[in-house]
Amino acid sequence: MTLSAEEMERIVTQVSRGEELSGRESGEAAEFRAGVTQEVDQAREIAEELGLDFQVEIPNETPLMW
């Protein structure tokens, strides 16, 4: 099963807010969450090394993907 854009957006929002996972999720969702968490953590580390503030911004709209 493929994750929908809404599911991916929900996961990205939860990770960026530092929210804990509530309930169970599919293996695909868990894998996506782990990847997002890793990317956010790496970006945060790079920003800290450079002495920059770090903030995750999520656009209000998801672009159409063809």
Side-chain angles (χ1 to χ4, degrees):
M1 183 175 140
T2 303
L3 291 177
S4 69
E6 290 82 19
E7 290 172 305
M8 288 187 279
E9 187 174 340
R10 177 185 51 79
I11 291 170
V12 169
T13 299
Q14 288 174 340
V15 170
S16 66
R17 291 180 181 168
E19 296 175 2
E20 295 295 321
L21 173 64
S22 59
R24 295 171 44 171
E25 63 185 359
S26 69
E28 190 172 314
E31 185 177 334
F32 180 76
R33 180 181 299 277
V36 170
T37 301
Q38 182 180 10
E39 288 183 21
V40 169
D41 288 346
Q42 287 175 344
R44 182 178 286 112
E45 289 175 14
I46 291 168
E48 287 174 0
E49 289 172 5
L50 296 173
L52 302 171
D53 291 330
F54 179 77
Q55 185 174 359
V56 176
E57 293 186 14
I58 302 171
N60 289 337
E61 295 182 15
T62 303
L64 292 176
M65 301 173 127
W66 300 97

